[in-house]
Amino acid sequence: EAGVTQFPSHSVIEKGQTVTLRCDPISGHDNLYWYRRVMGKEIKFLLHFVKESKQDESGMPNNRFLAERTGGTYSTLKVQPAELEDSGVYFCASSQDLFSASYYNEQFFGPGTRLTVL
Amino acid sequence: GQQVMQIPQYQHVQEGEDFTTYCNSSTTLSNIQWYKQRPGGHPVFLIQLVKSGEVKKQKRLTFQFGEAKKNSSLHITATQTTDVGTYFCATNAGGTSYGKLTFGQGTILTVHP
């Protein structure tokens, strides 16, 4: 079974440019998450899709970030315009749809996209 | 918002020594998940704890969840060079943010052969 894939693996752009990151979750996983790790800091949640709907976007830093998941399959995360502080590693994760009040599913992380904004 | 504090930030050990990382919260946690990230890699799920006082073992790794569900630890016995990486604890936020994982800062483990 293929894991979570992300594209590109690296991206170097200049401040003010636009970048679009793509994530393909594990087939059959309704839940898709975006996280970001800025160098030396903890991994921070950005948002959570259930199928094509945004369940929780409380972690999105500002309106320069736009995430979509049309059709409930792959997802894109667009940063426009990029700022220096957007540099970091962007991880996508996916999980199955089963959960209960006291059990949460493990999340399968992709390899990440390392974004550098110059 | 919910926070999980993880210590130590770094740990250097000789191969064969033990290693422990701790996570603490000021609030009661619904669960604790532990992830390992190898250098240059991505977080990989290790285990989940949900019950008060729960202890789980995976070979040389022992995971504990505190009685008050406010702290957790990961202990590695007799470290090996394959154990190097960053170990993160994480917890689910619950409610409408049930999918959101809040991570600790991570503990970077280096093992000297």
Side-chain angles (χ1 to χ4, degrees), chain A residues 31 33 35 37 40-43 45 48 50 55-56 58 91 99 102-107 109-112, chain B residues 9 30-31 33 35 37 41-43 45 48 50 86 88 92 94-101 103-105:
Chain A
N31 296 283
Y33 315 85
Y35 292 88
R37 188 178 189 199
K41 305 272 188 177
E42 70 270 28
I43 300 169
F45 169 85
H48 169 201
V50 178
Q55 169 67 26
D56 179 3
S58 61
F91 289 107
F99 81 101
S102 61
Y103 178 81
Y104 299 91
N105 283 318
E106 67 176 283
Q107 296 185 13
F109 282 74
Chain B
Q9 187 176 2
S30 56
N31 68 332
Q33 295 186 358
Y35 289 80
Q37 183 175 2
H42 56 276
F45 176 84
Q48 174 170 252
V50 297
T86 303
F88 293 97
N92 285 91
T96 55
S97 295
Y98 65 86
K100 170 184 176 180
L101 279 175
F103 282 84
Q105 296 86 341

Side-chain angles (χ1 to χ4, degrees), chain B residues 6-79:
Chain B
Q6 188 173 355
I7 57 170
Q9 187 176 2
Y10 301 94
Q11 187 75 57
H12 311 279
V13 300
Q14 288 292 132
E15 189 172 22
E17 292 181 336
D18 292 355
F19 159 76
T20 306
T21 175
Y22 302 89
C23 278
N24 295 286
S25 171
S26 59
T27 59
T28 302
L29 303 172
S30 56
N31 68 332
I32 275 283
Q33 295 186 358
W34 285 93
Y35 289 80
K36 175 184 178 182
Q37 183 175 2
R38 294 181 185 274
H42 56 276
V44 175
F45 176 84
L46 295 176
I47 210 158
Q48 174 170 252
L49 305 171
V50 297
K51 297 177 183 176
S52 169
E54 190 168 12
V55 179
K56 288 188 177 180
K57 293 190 176 184
Q58 288 179 351
K59 297 183 180 178
R60 295 178 294 103
L61 278 61
T62 302
F63 305 84
Q64 293 188 329
F65 202 8
E67 293 289 342
K69 299 181 71 173
K70 289 185 178 181
N71 58 75
S72 180
S73 65
L74 158 59
H75 179 82
I76 302 178
T77 303
T79 54

Side-chain angles (χ1 to χ4, degrees), chain A residues 3-7 22-26 32 73-75 92 94:
Chain A
V4 177
T5 58
Q6 292 186 245
F7 181 83
R22 172 171 171 145
C23 168
D24 287 80
I26 292 172
L32 186 149
T73 54
Y74 71 90
S75 174
C92 174
S94 71

